[in-house]
Structure formats: structure tokens, C-alpha cells
Amino acid sequence: MALRHSVEMEPYSGPEPGDLIEIFRPHYQHWALYLGDGYVINVTPVDEGPSVALSSAKAVVSGKARVRMQLLKEVVGSNTYHINNKYDAKYTPLPVKDIIRRAKRFIDQEVSYDVLGNNCEHFVTMLRYGEGVSEQVDNTITALGIATVVLGAFSVMGLLWSRSRERKN
């Protein structure tokens, strides 16, 4: 299992309970929360099978997910991961004992799943900070908004060009 670690000033000591774990899948990032002793909590499809790669896709289609406690190495599989408590500057993490207690209440529970408003990143940030946030979703929505504006501008320009040509004929 490959590992990314971006902190250069201190030696890598592994995740600590309450840390957010970002797992790099081929086309998206999956998120989990480290519980300790090699275990994480994360959302998986209700009918999870052996394929880790399709997990989020199955949850998207069903609109439901199951919260599971699993070994980090099993969730990561052949992908890479890193500890990413990126929202700590914006939100104050809850005390670790509260994060773990809240997380354990969800184990084996079925929860609703929605890519834009209630995904795996929302779930783990809600546990760590008390508020579900997803920069991944915000970035996607921003990119879609920009693409829509650009396509709209090209459509208007094409319409104006077409009318200009009609007037010349």
C-alpha cells in the first residue's frame, strides 16, 4: 500500500484517532475517519460486495449507505491515502473521545447517501467537526458553474454571428 505524507518537519507516525483519511481512487477521493488500532469508519454501499472500486458508485445509485468499521488497509486496497485534516484551520475539531463516541454510534447503521449533500466526506467531517463539509463537491459545483457560463457565452456568440451572417446575405 502506497502512502502520501506531506508534513516534512516531523517524522511520519501514522494516523491518530479522529484523523480524516483521504483515499485516492481512480476518479474521486473516498474519505474515512481513523478510529485507532488500524481501524476506520466509513460509508459503504448497503449491499457492499468484494469490489472496493465500485463502492461509492453503488451508494450513489441506491441513495443508501451503510456505516462500517473496517481495517484501513482493507478500505485502501491498492490505492493510496493520506491523513488530511484540511478543515482544522476553519473548524475546531471536537475532542477525540467525542469524535470516537459519535462515530461508534453509527457502526452498522444505514444512512442516506447523496453525492452532493451527504457523501463520505460530509459524513466524516460531521463526525470530526460537528458539521458536514465537502470541498470535493464545492469544487465540482464551481467547475460546473464556470463550464455553464462559458458554454452560454459561446452559444450567445454563435447566435450573434449567425444573425450577422443572415443580415449580410
Side-chain angles (χ1 to χ4, degrees):
M1 149 182 30
L3 170 69
R4 293 184 188 184
H5 192 261
S6 58
V7 178
E8 296 175 17
M9 300 299 270
E10 58 190 66
Y12 177 70
S13 60
E16 297 290 328
D19 280 342
L20 299 179
I21 306 295
E22 183 177 19
I23 302 163
F24 298 91
R25 303 280 195 241
H27 301 289
Y28 67 96
Q29 287 79 42
H30 180 66
W31 289 83
L33 181 116
Y34 191 73
L35 296 174
D37 297 324
Y39 285 91
V40 296
I41 188 169
N42 70 131
V43 293
T44 66
V46 172
D47 62 343
E48 180 186 52
S51 175
V52 173
L54 296 176
S55 292
S56 291
K58 288 179 185 175
V60 169
V61 172
S62 72
K64 297 281 183 192
R66 179 151 324 268
V67 178
R68 295 206 195 311
M69 184 172 105
Q70 299 174 283
L71 285 170
L72 174 60
K73 65 182 180 180
E74 291 174 1
V75 176
V76 171
S78 62
N79 300 127
T80 60
Y81 78 95
H82 76 146
I83 299 163
N84 191 352
N85 298 318
K86 65 182 178 180
Y87 300 110
D88 283 7
K90 186 173 182 181
Y91 302 100
T92 303
L94 298 170
V96 172
K97 65 180 174 66
D98 292 342
I99 295 170
I100 303 304
R101 182 176 34 80
R102 289 163 49 108
K104 287 183 175 181
R105 287 184 189 158
F106 281 98
I107 295 172
D108 292 326
Q109 298 295 313
E110 189 174 293
V111 295
S112 61
Y113 186 91
D114 164 6
V115 172
L116 297 178
N118 199 19
N119 64 32
C120 57
E121 187 176 8
H122 288 107
F123 177 72
V124 297
T125 56
M126 183 271 302
L127 293 174
R128 183 173 173 84
Y129 305 109
E131 185 164 341
V133 292
S134 177
E135 187 177 86
Q136 188 172 205
V137 169
D138 294 343
N139 290 343
T140 300
I141 290 171
T142 299
L144 288 173
I146 290 169
T148 301
V149 168
V150 169
L151 287 173
F154 278 123
S155 295
V156 169
M157 287 174 26
L159 181 63
L160 293 173
W161 182 76
S162 176
R163 286 188 179 171
S164 172
R165 288 188 63 184
E166 287 175 7
R167 287 186 193 145
K168 289 180 183 178
N169 293 333

